[in-house]
Amino acid sequence: MRFPLTIAWLDARSRVRHLSLCALAIVFGVAAMVAIDSFTDNVKEAIEAEAMTLLGADLQISSRTPFSDDIESWIQSLEGEEARETRFSSMAYFPKADSTRLVQVRALEGNFPFYGTFRTEPEGANPALYTEPVATIDSLLMAQYDLKVGDTVSLGEIEFKIIGEIIEIPGESGFAGLFAPRIYIPKTQLDSTRLIDTGSIAFHRVYLKNDSLPETSELKDFLKANFPEDRINLDDVEERKEDVGRPLENLTRYLGLVGFISLLLGGVGIAGSIQAYLLQKRDTVAILRCLGSSSKTAFSIFLIQIAGVAGFGAGLGAILGVCIQTLLPRILAPLLPVDLEFFVSWPSIFSGVSFGFLIAILFALFPLLPIRNISPLRALRSRIDDGNTPRDRFVIPLALITASILTIYCMMKNQVWWHGLIFAAFIGFAFFVFWASAKILQLILKRLPLPNIYLLRQALSNLYRPQNRTTFLLVSIGMGTFLVYTLSLVQTGLLQQSERAATGDGPNLLLFDIQPDQRDRVYQIIQDSGLVIEEEAPIVTMRLKGVKGRTVSEIRQDPDVKIDAWILNREWRNTYRAEPRDSETLIAGEYVSEWQSFDQPVPVSLEADMALDLGVVLGDLLVFDVQGIPVEVIVSSLRTVDWLQMRPNFFVTFPTGVLEAAPHWWIAVTRSPDVETTAELQRSIFLDSPNVSVVDLQVVLSALENVLSKISFAVRFMALFTIGTGIVVLASAITTSRYQRVRESVLLRTLGASGNQVKLIMGIEYLMIGGIAAFLGIAIAMLAAWALANLLLEIEVILPVFDSIIAALGVALLTLITGMLNSRGIAQHPPLSILREGE
């Protein structure tokens, strides 16, 4: 190996700039992969280290209704130290600021948390240790209303003295209190507030500290067998770790996909750069062959160079990735329920470097394989046989191996394996479309008469001339455009959801928990404020008892039935009304407005996606437990619901005449013109009916936007690596054609063309290739974004047609600029340098 190593080193020293471009192609991809994988390892390590504090107990028992006597007896039989909590949303009134705000009230008793620290300022301000009306409130509220320890807050009919502010709650992220800031009060004071009534939305929890409890799975089986009617949820440390890690895992999977796309583009860039490099090395190979070197020796020389470049690029990418890893926790820290400690994840670095190196080698082998077929006669025959080397027999096996490795990687990086398979298949489909489009374009230009304009005719002829680079340029630029723009569209689609909800002239105030005896008074207050009730609906709580003749208990115990547990366990809040509303569209069946017969199943309208999840169709029967009374219903119609419209939307709507006598409360929406009107309305309603919550949807959307902005910044930041790689790919793709264009330029100048005419011909050619590749790439990206949004992410993406046209024109212009910059000096190349080569 001494000779190949020596020649490889000597030859590489004279081509440092070009080989650096090859290395740069994979730097960004490896950096993104190392950063994301290392960050993921840091998160997993932190979750594991703080596992016990995530739950704060050994077991959490929760229910949406107060625990029955049987369940209470069962809880007592588990023994261990116990703490209890009741959570619900309510309006809080701050006398000092004369303002109200939706908050999450947590009535706590016992020494919770058992693991971790409930951090407050001042220390020890845990209201569970008090019996008088005191409160510890979220730091967000303290800052927003300029509150101090000793001030008061009113909840329902009780005024609580603030004894401290919340700094940190074990197992909760910094963003947990953005939507509804938290207020802790003693559980002994809960009844005095009179905020919990029949039908009120509340969560009841019991925390147990007992490290010798049976396995959670055994406890769940016991509950199913003995208390099938009680909807009790159990949560242990392992389940909480999964719950905490799942959203972060989804985010890191998406960011990892960004890194994979960067690396994939880098592979295309490597192939282009190596091809441009080897085009100028064929004479060198021929001379080596004349001097007695075998084809394997010549092949190994350039393979060594490529391996060195790939190793250098992967190593540099790993260093950059570690640097980025230190930035990600600062961006995403508010989303994390644990404190991250930075450490270098060597497995992540090894996997990123290894996969980056492998991708670089695989893609570089495509232009490298033909080196083995260069004949020694080329040294004597100069460029007469340019590019006429036969196709290597290993190209197809290499393509299959590369495709298999990329597909397996995609499948491993997706939670559902077939999602990865579809993603890989779509990439293959896009590659085929670009390749086929290039071939069809060349065939059409060959067969059809060209325009009788010299410069245009010459530019079009160049697209199908011998040794043209049309196919490679169109595939490279098109794939880069497709991958980058797909990411951009999906990311935009994710943000469109909150933006769409925040815009428009729809309702921006939501009032709920309006009791029937309060309805007239509350509506009068709204009218006195100059506002109008835009929509209202009664809410009747109920439980699902049966589906298509089978009880919920039977369904839970049947492993073949695939109905999510949350559907079976949830407390349904349904309504009754005579017709669908503006946010609903009837898609099947007949909507029954009124029903008076109780001898037959009640016809109801079911939301289409919920019907799919339940596995029911028109005519199927369901049974609901309406607060102790079983009611059999039949699915008479299916509706789609626009959940982004801030209106009372429901999975199930009953006809009128059935539920009016059942205990219920009301929900209503209105629109406030400004912040002052909203504040005055909230204050007036709180003073009259403190249990009624008036939710300012703009505050909720602002909190959501705050969360999404952090995620968006992380995604945009990582997307910069894909864009950077795309620019490198574009430059390397155009570089591959420079050598051929020098000869064409000289021949044109010899035939009488001026330097400006040569430049114009090249400009038209670059603009046409860039335009075709860009429009194809963006069209396929729009199709891919639609498929990802609707099939996998289940979001609605509004495809921006005008912006897409502008983006396509931008890519075409970028191709033109890059091509012309890369072609500097070609039009002034002296003709004799080429003409003498034929002597």
Side-chain angles (χ1 to χ4, degrees):
M1 291 296 294
R2 181 176 181 182
F3 175 74
L5 285 170
T6 302
I7 298 300
W9 169 251
L10 294 174
D11 184 67
R13 288 193 304 177
S14 63
R15 304 291 296 173
V16 172
R17 292 180 61 184
H18 192 97
L19 293 175
S20 298
L21 182 64
C22 299
L24 192 61
I26 66 167
V27 166
F28 296 126
V30 173
M33 292 184 65
V34 168
I36 294 301
D37 289 347
S38 297
F39 173 74
T40 302
D41 283 354
N42 282 186
V43 171
K44 289 180 178 178
E45 185 71 22
I47 290 177
E48 194 64 37
E50 301 182 29
M52 298 302 295
T53 64
L54 291 176
L55 185 64
D58 292 304
L59 182 67
Q60 173 187 295
I61 306 169
S62 58
S63 172
R64 292 195 174 189
T65 57
F67 298 111
S68 65
D69 293 339
D70 290 337
I71 294 297
E72 286 286 359
S73 299
W74 173 75
I75 292 174
Q76 297 304 316
S77 69
L78 295 177
E79 300 180 345
E81 190 174 355
E82 178 184 308
R84 292 185 177 246
E85 180 187 76
T86 300
R87 294 187 182 188
F88 58 95
S89 295
S90 178
M91 297 299 293
Y93 174 67
F94 303 95
K96 180 179 180 180
D98 193 23
S99 296
T100 58
R101 173 72 189 268
L102 179 70
V103 298
Q104 185 183 88
V105 180
R106 300 183 179 184
L108 184 65
E109 70 176 1
N111 190 27
F112 182 81
F114 302 120
Y115 307 104
T117 303
F118 184 74
R119 291 182 54 204
T120 61
E121 180 63 40
E123 292 185 5
N126 188 343
L129 306 177
Y130 292 76
T131 56
E132 59 268 26
V134 297
T136 303
I137 74 174
D138 208 303
S139 57
L140 176 66
L141 295 173
M142 298 288 283
Q144 183 177 1
Y145 297 108
D146 192 27
L147 301 174
K148 307 293 182 184
V149 173
D151 291 335
T152 59
V153 55
S154 294
L155 297 170
E157 300 181 359
I158 300 296
E159 191 172 78
F160 292 83
K161 179 182 177 182
I162 300 173
I163 60 171
E165 65 176 297
I166 300 168
I167 305 299
E168 181 181 350
I169 299 175
E172 295 189 14
S173 65
F175 273 144
L178 276 182
F179 298 96
R182 299 151 294 189
I183 294 183
Y184 278 88
I185 63 173
K187 198 168 187 302
T188 54
Q189 298 293 323
L190 177 59
D191 291 339
S192 301
T193 64
R194 302 190 66 179
L195 291 173
I196 300 295
D197 203 346
T198 302
S200 297
I201 303 173
F203 297 87
H204 305 270
R205 295 181 175 181
V206 173
Y207 300 98
L208 286 179
K209 179 184 180 183
N210 184 349
D211 56 9
S212 60
L213 288 169
E215 292 290 333
T216 305
S217 59
E218 297 179 13
L219 295 176
K220 289 181 177 180
D221 292 339
F222 178 83
L223 287 174
K224 288 181 181 180
N226 294 275
F227 308 107
E229 302 303 321
D230 292 282
R231 313 298 173 93
I232 305 299
N233 294 317
L234 302 182
D235 201 5
D236 60 11
V237 174
E238 291 302 319
E239 290 186 358
R240 179 56 60 88
K241 284 162 58 177
E242 293 181 5
D243 292 341
V244 169
R246 192 175 297 114
L248 296 173
E249 184 179 359
N250 291 336
L251 175 61
T252 53
R253 282 181 188 276
Y254 179 77
L255 296 178
L257 184 62
V258 175
F260 171 73
I261 289 177
S262 298
L263 194 56
L264 185 61
L265 284 177
V268 176
I270 283 281
S273 299
I274 294 300
Q275 188 168 35
Y277 175 65
L278 294 178
L279 280 174
Q280 303 174 52
K281 294 297 180 180
R282 287 181 292 185
D283 289 341
T284 303
V285 174
I287 293 172
L288 288 172
R289 296 292 308 279
C290 289
L291 295 176
S293 296
S294 66
S295 61
K296 292 182 179 180
T297 301
F299 178 84
S300 64
I301 290 172
F302 294 104
L303 181 60
I304 290 170
Q305 286 185 347
I306 293 169
V309 168
F312 175 76
L316 186 60
I319 295 174
L320 181 59
V322 172
C323 295
I324 299 167
Q325 177 195 352
T326 63
L327 298 176
L328 286 177
R330 300 180 184 180
I331 300 172
L332 300 175
L335 300 175
L336 303 176
V338 292
D339 295 326
L340 289 187
E341 291 187 10
F342 170 81
F343 65 87
V344 177
S345 176
W346 293 108
S348 298
I349 293 176
F350 176 78
S351 63
V353 170
S354 300
F355 192 71
F357 181 83
L358 178 62
I359 290 296
I361 293 296
L362 287 174
F363 277 84
L365 283 176
F366 286 99
L368 183 58
L369 285 176
I371 289 290
R372 299 162 53 252
N373 299 318
I374 294 179
S375 170
L377 288 177
R378 179 182 172 84
L380 303 175
R381 298 170 63 190
S382 187
R383 289 177 173 79
I384 295 176
D385 64 339
D386 237 3
N388 291 326
T389 54
R391 176 177 294 177
D392 196 284
R393 68 180 186 275
F394 291 114
V395 168
I396 294 179
L398 177 62
L400 293 175
I401 292 172
T402 304
S404 299
I405 291 175
L406 294 177
T407 301
I408 292 172
Y409 182 85
C410 288
M411 293 168 64
M412 291 173 58
K413 284 295 182 178
N414 280 273
Q415 191 170 8
V416 181
W417 66 269
W418 59 269
H419 288 177
L421 185 62
I422 292 176
F423 179 77
F426 209 98
I427 290 178
F429 166 75
F431 182 89
F432 173 77
V433 168
F434 292 122
W435 176 85
S437 299
K439 296 301 180 184
I440 292 172
L441 174 66
Q442 291 173 313
L443 183 63
I444 292 175
L445 292 176
K446 267 187 178 182
R447 299 293 177 85
L448 294 180
L450 299 178
N452 195 25
I453 302 175
Y454 174 72
L455 296 179
L456 182 57
R457 185 174 70 251
Q458 187 62 45
L460 291 174
S461 299
N462 283 348
L463 295 178
Y464 64 87
R465 71 189 185 280
Q467 310 307 318
N468 68 81
R469 307 298 297 158
T470 301
T471 302
F472 180 78
L473 286 172
L474 200 148
V475 170
S476 300
I477 298 171
M479 286 295 291
T481 304
F482 154 62
L483 293 171
V484 172
Y485 200 65
T486 299
L487 281 178
S488 176
L489 287 176
V490 172
Q491 173 192 330
T492 302
L494 291 170
L495 298 178
Q496 280 175 346
Q497 309 305 299
S498 62
E499 292 173 359
R500 182 180 163 199
T503 58
D505 56 356
N508 57 10
L509 289 180
L510 170 68
L511 297 87
F512 64 89
D513 202 13
I514 306 173
Q515 299 301 318
D517 61 341
Q518 299 172 322
R519 184 181 171 206
D520 292 338
R521 298 200 314 271
V522 170
Y523 287 3
Q524 187 61 50
I525 293 173
I526 294 174
Q527 292 176 7
D528 293 342
S529 300
L531 306 182
V532 177
I533 296 293
E534 297 194 9
E535 195 170 320
E536 63 168 345
I539 306 291
V540 180
T541 59
M542 56 189 72
R543 296 279 191 179
L544 185 64
K545 293 283 290 184
V547 179
K548 295 194 296 187
R550 304 185 65 187
T551 66
V552 168
S553 300
E554 292 173 345
I555 293 173
R556 285 203 201 99
Q557 297 171 4
D558 188 346
D560 296 328
V561 178
K562 306 299 181 183
I563 300 179
D564 288 340
W566 75 271
I567 296 177
L568 301 176
N569 294 332
R570 71 186 303 270
E571 187 175 62
W572 294 63
R573 294 177 179 86
N574 300 328
T575 192
Y576 53 88
R577 53 196 183 202
E579 59 185 3
R581 299 299 169 86
D582 293 339
S583 59
E584 302 171 324
T585 303
L586 194 68
I587 61 171
E590 178 184 0
Y591 192 97
V592 178
S593 300
E594 185 179 4
W595 190 258
Q596 298 295 337
S597 172
F598 290 92
D599 297 331
Q600 299 177 357
V602 178
V604 299
S605 182
L606 185 61
E607 194 267 339
D609 288 335
M610 178 57 74
L612 186 63
D613 291 339
L614 281 170
V616 300
V617 296
L618 292 177
D620 284 340
L621 297 176
L622 304 173
V623 178
F624 283 102
D625 181 353
V626 183
Q627 300 174 27
I629 301 175
V631 177
E632 188 176 40
V633 304
I634 183 171
V635 180
S636 65
S637 65
L638 298 176
R639 297 167 292 115
T640 59
V641 177
D642 185 358
W643 298 102
L644 289 181
Q645 289 195 34
M646 297 302 178
R647 298 181 182 275
N649 294 315
F650 302 89
F651 287 119
V652 178
T653 60
F654 282 70
T656 59
V658 178
L659 298 178
E660 282 81 351
H664 62 277
W665 48 273
W666 290 80
I667 184 173
V669 291
T670 184
R671 180 166 184 82
S672 172
D674 49 53
V675 176
E676 291 75 16
T677 303
T678 299
E680 180 60 34
L681 178 65
Q682 289 176 325
R683 184 165 45 248
S684 299
I685 290 180
F686 178 85
L687 295 176
D688 180 85
S689 305
N691 64 291
V692 177
S693 297
V694 185
V695 183
D696 186 351
L697 297 178
Q698 293 299 326
V699 174
V700 177
L701 292 173
S702 297
L704 178 62
E705 184 179 353
N706 196 352
V707 175
L708 291 179
S709 66
K710 294 290 184 181
I711 299 175
S712 173
F713 182 80
V715 173
R716 292 179 189 273
F717 180 73
M718 297 306 300
L720 289 177
F721 291 88
T722 307
I723 295 172
T725 305
I727 294 174
V728 173
V729 170
L730 176 61
S732 64
I734 293 175
T735 301
T736 63
S737 63
R738 178 180 174 86
Y739 171 72
Q740 189 68 23
R741 294 186 186 282
V742 170
R743 300 185 67 207
E744 292 170 2
S745 171
V746 168
L747 291 175
L748 288 172
R749 291 192 62 199
T750 303
L751 295 174
S754 66
N756 288 333
Q757 287 178 316
V758 172
K759 290 179 182 178
L760 192 55
I761 290 171
M762 288 189 295
I764 294 173
E765 187 179 350
Y766 282 130
L767 191 60
M768 292 185 64
I769 292 177
I772 294 172
F775 276 97
L776 278 175
I778 286 179
I780 299 175
M782 294 175 74
L783 177 62
W786 178 88
L788 284 171
N790 287 274
L791 302 180
L792 300 184
L793 301 177
E794 297 184 355
I795 62 173
E796 181 181 351
V797 172
I798 302 174
L799 298 176
V801 178
F802 179 76
D803 291 347
S804 298
I805 294 174
I806 297 300
L809 293 175
V811 172
L813 184 61
L814 181 61
T815 303
L816 172 63
I817 294 172
T818 306
M820 297 309 294
L821 289 175
N822 188 63
S823 302
R824 287 179 302 171
I826 287 180
Q828 284 73 41
H829 210 84
L832 285 178
S833 64
I834 297 296
L835 296 177
R836 285 174 176 173
E837 292 181 358
E839 296 178 359

